[in-house]
């Protein structure tokens, strides 16, 4: 079975609920009739309810950018998988590099988040990727990325993996305008798929969607998506305007 491409927008810490409603409406209306591509938008927590209303009854899916792994409790400031599911959220980003970098999120915590998401019927998108320093250190960047994949999925079986996607986002390409070349993205994605196959078997690895993220724009999406192991895009900056997100969704047009 070929993998259906997934184009996901990460709105980061942008949009008030009103802005988010406008953006969701523009994307919803502009994406009407697009087939063969799964579309996901990940607004900030405070805009999830408004966007859920705008997307109700459409094929567009709603995602969160983060969550805590406990269901309830004295965890001031945190949001649980139960709360997300109750809002109609179906996917959640886990371990975005900005979470790793600014909030100290480590592989072990991210593994707990992946498991908690699955336990509550949410589809985790595990984000991995090397920093510029790691990339410049030589071939060891590959071990960093493989290690993030293995640690993030530690303790899961192939049977658990169905809802899981991986997003490969080289940190040096996020928000910098520097995109990995299609060949470089392909090399990393193939390596990630190989790491998945080693742990979970060839079939589970073949079925996994591996998204590329890092300065994806309307003018580079097509060549990235042409690579055999690139199954979608996680889009930051260009997902904040319908004028730039819609052409990415319609990369085949
Ligand atoms: C991201 O936020 O995941 C991202 C890839 O950002 P940008 O597209 O702006 O590089």
């Amino acid at each position: 079975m070929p993998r259906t491409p997934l184009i996901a927008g990460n709105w980061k810490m942008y949009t008030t609920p009103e802005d988010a409603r406008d953006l969701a409406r523009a994307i919803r209306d502009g994406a009407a009739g697009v087939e063969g591509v799964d579309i996901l938008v990940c607004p900030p927590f405070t805009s999830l309810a408004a966007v859920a209303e705008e997307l109700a009854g459409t094929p567009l899916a709603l995602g969160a950018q983060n969550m805590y792994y406990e269901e309830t409790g004295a965890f001031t400031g945190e949001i649980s998988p139960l709360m997300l599911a109750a809002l109609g959220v179906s996917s959640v980003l886990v371990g975005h590099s900005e979470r790793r970098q600014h909030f100290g999120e480590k592989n072990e915590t991210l593994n707990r988040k992946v498991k908690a998401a699955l336990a509550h019927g949410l589809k985790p998108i595990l984000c991995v990727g090397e920093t510029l320093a790691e990339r410049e250190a030589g071939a060891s960047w590959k071990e960093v990325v493989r290690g993030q994949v293995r640690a993030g999925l530690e303790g899961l079986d192939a049977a658990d993996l169905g809802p899981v996607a991986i997003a490969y986002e080289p940190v040096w390409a996020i928000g910098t305008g520097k995109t990995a070349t299609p060949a470089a993205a392909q090399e990393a994605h193939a390596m990630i798929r190989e790491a998945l196959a080693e742990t979970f078997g060839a079939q589970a690895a073949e079925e996994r969607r591996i998204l590329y993220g890092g300065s994806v724009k309307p003018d580079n999406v097509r060549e990235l998506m042409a690579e055999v192991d690139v199954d979608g895009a996680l889009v930051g900056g260009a997902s904040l305007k319908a004028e730039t997100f819609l052409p990415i969704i319609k990369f085949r047009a």
Side-chain angles (χ1 to χ4, degrees):
M1 272 273 282
R3 298 177 292 267
T4 304
L6 169 63
I7 306 290
N10 170 18
W11 295 0
K12 309 197 191 207
M13 198 173 72
Y14 296 101
T15 71
T16 63
E18 213 177 305
D19 301 333
R21 211 179 260 286
D22 290 346
L23 180 56
R25 258 190 226 126
I27 293 170
R28 176 196 68 194
D29 295 347
V34 173
E35 284 180 4
V37 180
D38 291 337
I39 303 165
L40 172 72
V41 295
C42 304
F45 290 134
T46 46
S47 293
L48 285 169
V51 175
E53 281 179 16
E54 299 303 330
L55 301 187
T58 77
L60 276 67
L62 182 64
Q65 300 172 17
N66 181 34
M67 58 163 223
Y68 195 53
Y69 50 75
E70 297 288 355
E71 284 188 353
T72 54
F75 301 106
T76 303
E78 292 297 318
I79 301 288
S80 87
L82 273 185
M83 297 169 182
L84 295 179
L87 280 178
V89 167
S90 59
S91 293
V92 59
L93 304 182
V94 175
H96 189 282
S97 65
E98 287 152 15
R99 302 293 318 167
R100 294 178 189 259
Q101 196 182 336
H102 304 305
F103 302 96
E105 295 199 357
K106 298 274 180 282
N107 286 329
E108 197 198 348
T109 306
L110 301 175
N111 178 241
R112 295 180 77 162
K113 292 188 178 194
V114 167
K115 288 176 176 162
L118 291 171
H120 289 87
L122 297 171
K123 299 177 201 156
I125 301 179
L126 176 66
C127 304
V128 299
E130 78 284 3
T131 62
L132 183 60
E134 287 161 347
R135 168 65 74 149
E136 287 178 341
S140 58
W141 70 268
K142 295 186 176 175
E143 205 32 62
V144 170
V145 174
R146 277 196 290 257
Q148 290 172 338
V149 173
R150 275 192 223 109
L153 303 180
E154 168 99 39
L156 299 181
D157 294 328
D160 303 320
L161 226 56
V164 176
I166 307 288
Y168 169 65
E169 301 201 300
V171 180
W172 47 270
I174 298 182
T176 59
K178 286 185 202 156
T179 320
T181 62
Q186 169 59 27
E187 180 192 20
H189 284 221
M191 174 192 82
I192 290 169
R193 203 175 302 285
E194 211 176 281
L196 291 171
E198 276 164 20
T199 311
F200 299 104
Q203 189 186 338
E206 263 314 294
E207 288 169 358
R208 263 338 19 80
R209 288 195 284 208
I210 306 176
L211 317 185
Y212 169 77
S215 298
V216 174
K217 305 273 183 271
D219 62 5
N220 60 23
V221 64
R222 190 188 291 253
E223 54 180 11
L224 287 161
M225 291 300 296
E227 295 293 339
V228 64
D229 286 300
V230 176
D231 307 314
L234 179 52
V235 186
S239 72
L240 288 166
K241 288 203 167 97
E243 302 91 270
T244 42
F245 194 52
L246 289 171
I248 294 175
I249 291 167
K250 298 176 186 176
F251 67 93
R252 287 203 188 96

